[in-house]
Amino acid sequence: YYQPQVDAINRNIIGCEVLLRWNHPIQGVVSPDRFVPLLEREGLIFSVGEWVMKRAIEQHLRWLERGYPPVRIAVNFSAPELHERGLATRVIELVHHSGIAPPWFKLEVTETATVKNFDQVARTLGKIRASGIQIAVDDFGTGYSTLSYLQKLPVDIIKIDQQFIKDIPYSSEDKTLVKAVIAMAHNLGLDVVAEGVETEAQAQFLRRHLCEELQGYLFSKPLRAEEFEQLIALQVSEIEEELTLF
């Protein structure tokens, strides 16, 4: 599934987060918080992770072939994947041989993931980032190593977790915290994506405080590839109509 990430100013889709779902024959759609720990425990997370990367890149290229503007795809990595030997080489080769331009592929590292060896993971992510692939910290603010992530890992983007967004604009504490995180990120030269944006008031608050990108149900729920394509097509037609009127 693909959930749009939009520019906070003009609301155009500029990226998407790739989300994995398991369509179980009996239980229906199963969320990743239930099956990803099972994949990790059974050692299947590596093959599944590679499958997700390949499928996401193929979909990006398919949209380009159909004439749509490029959309950056963001793929999540779990802690076991980060510690995998040869990860950097595997990711760089996959991106290089696929034909996707590296800036249009982004890795998201969950901030709550347990990183046992920061130095090793930092070297791995540093090699990946040097190839032109962006690195984002997902769920920022929810783990115990928040500042360590920014201090030791090569990062381009911070994704503010939805738990800090949901009570804006009513919670003064959350407003203060979010403003502080955005300011800190910008001082470090990082961009910010706000997750879980569900109301216009939240979107306006984040835009006023210079958050670059927004993601949440205000814009769209996670969509199947064909549904996401329809959303892109609608955006393209609206832009073309505005240009014609102009």
Side-chain angles (χ1 to χ4, degrees), residues 89-106:
T89 300
R90 184 164 60 86
V91 171
I92 293 170
E93 288 182 351
L94 176 61
V95 170
H96 175 73
H97 292 301
S98 70
I100 188 175
W104 296 105
F105 185 79
K106 178 176 71 172

Side-chain angles (χ1 to χ4, degrees), residues 2 11 19 31 43 68 79-80 119 136 146 150 171-172 179 184 191 202-203 230 234:
Y2 303 82
R11 307 289 178 90
L19 300 166
S31 64
Y68 297 114
D119 292 335
T146 300
L150 300 186
S171 168
S172 59
K179 286 192 292 184
M184 176 186 67
D191 289 340
Q202 293 168 348
Q230 292 173 7
L234 177 61

Side-chain angles (χ1 to χ4, degrees), residues 59-69 225-226 229:
Q59 188 59 66
H60 168 90
L61 296 174
R62 193 172 298 122
W63 286 328
L64 287 182
E65 290 171 358
R66 294 179 180 176
Y68 297 114
E226 57 271 19
E229 182 174 324

Side-chain angles (χ1 to χ4, degrees), residues 1-237:
Y1 284 71
Y2 303 82
Q3 186 169 31
Q5 296 169 334
V6 306
D7 184 288
I9 296 176
N10 57 33
R11 307 289 178 90
N12 287 338
I13 298 171
I14 55 178
C16 63
E17 180 178 3
V18 180
L19 300 166
L20 191 61
R21 299 290 185 268
W22 180 11
N23 291 309
H24 192 280
I26 298 176
Q27 300 183 35
V29 178
V30 182
S31 64
D33 61 337
R34 291 182 58 196
F35 66 80
V36 166
L38 176 62
L39 293 175
E40 293 177 350
R41 190 165 63 248
E42 297 298 326
L44 297 172
I45 192 66
F46 307 108
S47 57
V48 171
E50 185 167 349
W51 176 82
V52 170
M53 283 193 293
K54 288 180 178 179
R55 285 292 300 271
I57 291 172
E58 288 170 1
Q59 188 59 66
H60 168 90
L61 296 174
R62 193 172 298 122
W63 286 328
L64 287 182
E65 290 171 358
R66 294 179 180 176
Y68 297 114
V71 174
R72 186 191 62 221
I73 54 175
V75 176
N76 290 281
F77 264 41
S78 65
E81 290 176 283
L82 292 176
H83 292 94
E84 181 189 5
R85 288 186 177 275
L87 173 66
T89 300
R90 184 164 60 86
V91 171
I92 293 170
E93 288 182 351
L94 176 61
V95 170
H96 175 73
H97 292 301
S98 70
I100 188 175
W104 296 105
F105 185 79
K106 178 176 71 172
L107 294 185
E108 295 192 356
V109 181
T110 304
E111 200 272 325
T112 50
T114 303
V115 176
K116 298 177 182 178
N117 188 334
F118 263 104
D119 292 335
Q120 174 194 329
V121 172
R123 286 193 297 271
T124 297
L125 293 180
K127 292 177 183 177
I128 293 173
R129 187 171 180 244
S131 72
I133 297 170
Q134 290 187 316
I135 307 293
V137 175
D138 198 9
D139 300 334
F140 185 80
T142 59
Y144 299 105
S145 307
T146 300
L147 296 181
S148 294
Y149 267 67
L150 300 186
Q151 181 183 21
K152 296 184 178 181
L153 300 185
V155 175
D156 300 287
I157 299 168
I158 287 176
K159 296 188 70 179
I160 303 177
D161 188 74
Q162 59 185 344
Q163 77 176 50
F164 303 111
I165 305 298
K166 63 184 179 67
D167 291 327
I168 290 175
Y170 308 108
S171 168
S172 59
E173 291 84 1
D174 284 345
K175 288 195 296 183
T176 300
L177 187 147
V178 169
K179 286 192 292 184
V181 169
I182 294 173
M184 176 186 67
H186 289 167
N187 285 333
L188 293 172
L190 309 176
D191 289 340
V192 182
V193 179
E195 299 181 283
V197 180
E198 297 185 351
T199 70
E200 187 61 36
Q202 293 168 348
Q204 292 295 339
F205 172 85
L206 292 161
R207 177 180 176 177
R208 284 197 306 273
H209 295 286
L210 306 180
C211 179
E212 283 83 8
E213 298 179 33
L214 310 176
Q215 177 181 345
Y217 276 53
L218 176 63
F219 313 104
S220 175
K221 65 180 181 179
L223 301 170
R224 295 180 182 274
E226 57 271 19
E227 296 172 320
F228 188 90
E229 182 174 324
Q230 292 173 7
L231 207 60
I232 302 174
L234 177 61
Q235 176 177 290
V236 170
S237 65

